mmCIF file of all heavy atoms in Angstrom:
data_model
loop_
_atom_site.group_PDB
_atom_site.id
_atom_site.type_symbol
_atom_site.label_atom_id
_atom_site.label_comp_id
_atom_site.label_asym_id
_atom_site.label_seq_id
_atom_site.Cartn_x
_atom_site.Cartn_y
_atom_site.Cartn_z
ATOM 1 N N ASP A 52 5.754 -21.280 -1.834
ATOM 2 C CA ASP A 52 5.330 -21.170 -0.424
ATOM 3 C C ASP A 52 6.562 -20.912 0.426
ATOM 4 O O ASP A 52 7.274 -21.813 0.794
ATOM 5 C CB ASP A 52 4.626 -22.464 -0.036
ATOM 6 C CG ASP A 52 4.031 -22.403 1.384
ATOM 7 O OD1 ASP A 52 4.461 -21.498 2.164
ATOM 8 O OD2 ASP A 52 3.180 -23.202 1.687
ATOM 9 N N GLN A 53 6.814 -19.614 0.740
ATOM 10 C CA GLN A 53 8.033 -19.257 1.446
ATOM 11 C C GLN A 53 8.095 -19.888 2.832
ATOM 12 O O GLN A 53 9.120 -20.371 3.276
ATOM 13 C CB GLN A 53 8.184 -17.717 1.506
ATOM 14 C CG GLN A 53 9.396 -17.287 2.301
ATOM 15 C CD GLN A 53 9.855 -15.877 1.975
ATOM 16 O OE1 GLN A 53 10.232 -15.579 0.844
ATOM 17 N NE2 GLN A 53 9.797 -15.006 2.930
ATOM 18 N N LYS A 54 6.956 -19.868 3.550
ATOM 19 C CA LYS A 54 6.916 -20.431 4.901
ATOM 20 C C LYS A 54 7.311 -21.889 4.887
ATOM 21 O O LYS A 54 8.099 -22.347 5.720
ATOM 22 C CB LYS A 54 5.519 -20.311 5.503
ATOM 23 C CG LYS A 54 5.289 -18.933 6.149
ATOM 24 C CD LYS A 54 4.267 -19.038 7.292
ATOM 25 C CE LYS A 54 4.110 -17.729 8.019
ATOM 26 N NZ LYS A 54 2.821 -17.099 7.845
ATOM 27 N N ALA A 55 6.758 -22.627 3.925
ATOM 28 C CA ALA A 55 7.049 -24.056 3.831
ATOM 29 C C ALA A 55 8.502 -24.281 3.446
ATOM 30 O O ALA A 55 9.157 -25.208 3.993
ATOM 31 C CB ALA A 55 6.135 -24.698 2.783
ATOM 32 N N ALA A 56 9.063 -23.443 2.586
ATOM 33 C CA ALA A 56 10.445 -23.582 2.181
ATOM 34 C C ALA A 56 11.385 -23.361 3.374
ATOM 35 O O ALA A 56 12.333 -24.126 3.580
ATOM 36 C CB ALA A 56 10.773 -22.594 1.083
ATOM 37 N N ILE A 57 11.092 -22.344 4.185
ATOM 38 C CA ILE A 57 11.899 -22.070 5.368
ATOM 39 C C ILE A 57 11.785 -23.203 6.369
ATOM 40 O O ILE A 57 12.785 -23.658 6.939
ATOM 41 C CB ILE A 57 11.560 -20.701 6.005
ATOM 42 C CG1 ILE A 57 11.903 -19.576 5.039
ATOM 43 C CG2 ILE A 57 12.279 -20.508 7.335
ATOM 44 C CD1 ILE A 57 11.320 -18.229 5.379
ATOM 45 N N ALA A 58 10.570 -23.703 6.574
ATOM 46 C CA ALA A 58 10.354 -24.808 7.528
ATOM 47 C C ALA A 58 11.125 -26.043 7.081
ATOM 48 O O ALA A 58 11.773 -26.698 7.900
ATOM 49 C CB ALA A 58 8.859 -25.143 7.614
ATOM 50 N N ALA A 59 11.145 -26.323 5.789
ATOM 51 C CA ALA A 59 11.869 -27.477 5.265
ATOM 52 C C ALA A 59 13.392 -27.311 5.494
ATOM 53 O O ALA A 59 14.080 -28.257 5.875
ATOM 54 C CB ALA A 59 11.570 -27.671 3.778
ATOM 55 N N LEU A 60 13.888 -26.069 5.272
ATOM 56 C CA LEU A 60 15.303 -25.809 5.458
ATOM 57 C C LEU A 60 15.670 -25.921 6.938
ATOM 58 O O LEU A 60 16.699 -26.492 7.336
ATOM 59 C CB LEU A 60 15.712 -24.432 4.947
ATOM 60 C CG LEU A 60 15.925 -24.380 3.423
ATOM 61 C CD1 LEU A 60 15.853 -22.919 2.936
ATOM 62 C CD2 LEU A 60 17.272 -25.002 3.072
ATOM 63 N N ARG A 61 14.810 -25.413 7.813
ATOM 64 C CA ARG A 61 15.058 -25.525 9.276
ATOM 65 C C ARG A 61 15.111 -26.994 9.696
ATOM 66 O O ARG A 61 15.948 -27.354 10.522
ATOM 67 C CB ARG A 61 13.966 -24.770 10.087
ATOM 68 C CG ARG A 61 14.050 -23.261 9.920
ATOM 69 C CD ARG A 61 13.890 -22.518 11.257
ATOM 70 N NE ARG A 61 14.169 -21.083 11.098
ATOM 71 C CZ ARG A 61 15.341 -20.525 11.292
ATOM 72 N NH1 ARG A 61 16.417 -21.244 11.649
ATOM 73 N NH2 ARG A 61 15.518 -19.236 11.081
ATOM 74 N N GLU A 62 14.242 -27.775 9.130
ATOM 75 C CA GLU A 62 14.215 -29.234 9.454
ATOM 76 C C GLU A 62 15.512 -29.875 8.970
ATOM 77 O O GLU A 62 16.110 -30.699 9.661
ATOM 78 C CB GLU A 62 13.000 -29.843 8.747
ATOM 79 C CG GLU A 62 12.681 -31.274 9.110
ATOM 80 C CD GLU A 62 12.446 -31.459 10.607
ATOM 81 O OE1 GLU A 62 11.867 -30.588 11.246
ATOM 82 O OE2 GLU A 62 12.877 -32.540 11.117
ATOM 83 N N LYS A 63 15.959 -29.458 7.781
ATOM 84 C CA LYS A 63 17.145 -30.061 7.198
ATOM 85 C C LYS A 63 18.405 -29.744 8.000
ATOM 86 O O LYS A 63 19.313 -30.585 8.037
ATOM 87 C CB LYS A 63 17.298 -29.480 5.757
ATOM 88 C CG LYS A 63 17.978 -30.445 4.813
ATOM 89 C CD LYS A 63 17.989 -29.893 3.408
ATOM 90 C CE LYS A 63 19.064 -30.598 2.562
ATOM 91 N NZ LYS A 63 19.337 -29.892 1.330
#
Side-chain angles (χ1 to χ4, degrees):
D52 186 342
Q53 178 159 298
K54 274 208 176 114
I57 294 167
L60 279 162
R61 290 225 171 268
E62 189 58 36
K63 210 174 160 194

